[in-house]
Amino acid sequence: MKCVDDFRLQFGKQELVPIIIGGMGVDISTAELALEAARLGGIGHISDAMLPTVSDRRYETHFVKEKLKQYKYNIDNSDKSAVKFDLGQIAEATRLHVSKSMEAKRGEGMIFINCMEKLTMNAPRETLRVRLRTALDAGIDGITLSAGLHLSSFALMEDHPRFRDARLGIIVSSLRALQLFLRKTAKLNRLPDFIVVEGPLAGGHLGFDMDWAKYDLHTIMAEIYQYLQTEKLNIPLIAAGGIFTGSDAVSFLENGAAAVQVATRFTAVHECGLPEKVMQEYIKATESDIEVNTVSPTGYPMRMLKNSPAIGSGIRPGCESYGYLLDGSGNCAYIEAYNREVTAHPNAKKISVKDKTCLCTHMRNFNCWTCGHYTYRLKDTTRRLPDGSYQILSAEHVFRDYQFSVDQKIAMPD
Ligand SMILES: Cc1cc2nc3c(=O)[nH]c(=O)nc-3n(C[C@H](O)[C@H](O)[C@H](O)COP(=O)(O)O)c2cc1C
């Protein structure tokens, strides 16, 4: 009976354990978690979501305070178009996070950064350009383009000296999205180094509509695998979404996947960025505690725990401090929903906004509990402690369980 360790992900001459820990913003997939994946011979992701905020927490910078000071005058204004990011500060935050993560890297594995196109930051092209290029400048091993079609992202890096040697890949949820990307980037004469195929059981934003349950990762993988064979494109395919055991992973590796990308099981480990209180919420969740909803202002459905404090919260939009989801005209669906409720309840001290949430503020504060479909199985991967809480595992324990387990078994901690 095969285990994941019988397979290797080949990047040029480099061989890796075919386990990738997916990017989880905002700093849920921490540098510490990515470093463990790299140390153990796989690939870990840091995330480039809200890096000025992450940098303030980690490296004692003051980017958020400075931005708020500059735009404080605008807090009561519903028009947020004036609230812009300082490109120099984005570059500095990215440089700090990437270079510090890379300096700490040990072992044979790699560290990639997850870069979401949907973080439009009131200047989509300019801010994305700075984020991508600074990550390359700062020595990142690879970039995973996510949450969007990324039709111009390769072009934004085209003249960067590392454009052809860094590992660059994209997350897609359909053959159509992949074809669009390949068509658009064809003239650059540079194929992606890997393609992550993310199915509907993943955490975070989904590349599906609310009919996500009709789709299945094995089927999408097979379709894309067939397409690459027909086109004679030799690009490693990575399966993601709902791969909960080593045996699940093997079932993909035996059918054309070069690696798997996993995340949910790493939301309950010490190295993960979630506060322990929140990890306990994840572990104790049952299947009926999880939903896919449309409260994200990005327009993508998102899976989360129903008791996330973000759901129904009517806080004032935090764009003067954050503003990561402002589109190119300074709009965000939460601002509209918030203003509608304020107008409808002019005398209310506190309002509730049910249809959208202020994702920046709530992700930043770990109050939006996005999770994978199988989060309800986390309790089967650990022990209950005498005080009723669950034992938090180490990333190494979970990584090695994926790597060596057979027969759908899950190794319990000592
Ligand atoms: C808590 C959480 C946050 C996530 N955040 C992001 C993100 O910021 N960007 C992204 O591309 N994917 C995100 N994902 C998706 C993962 O990177 C990964 O592809 C997917 O969840 C794998 O499926 P699994 O969780 O069932 O193992 C997130 C997943 C989880 C569980």
Side-chain angles (χ1 to χ4, degrees), residues 379-383 393 397 401 410-414:
K379 62 178 87 50
D380 305 331
T381 69
T382 187
R383 293 181 196 287
L393 307 173
H397 171 87
D401 183 41
I410 290 173
M412 281 291 173
D414 292 334

Side-chain angles (χ1 to χ4, degrees), residues 237-255:
L237 274 188
I238 294 155
I243 299 169
F244 200 77
T245 66
S247 309
D248 293 344
V250 167
S251 73
F252 285 99
L253 295 169
E254 284 182 328
N255 286 293

Side-chain angles (χ1 to χ4, degrees), residues 22-25 28 114 116 146 171 198 201-204 240-242 261-264 267 370 372:
M24 296 180 271
I28 297 177
N114 178 284
M116 293 189 274
S146 69
I171 302 186
E198 197 179 72
L201 304 184
Q261 173 164 293
V262 289
T264 292
T267 57
T370 181

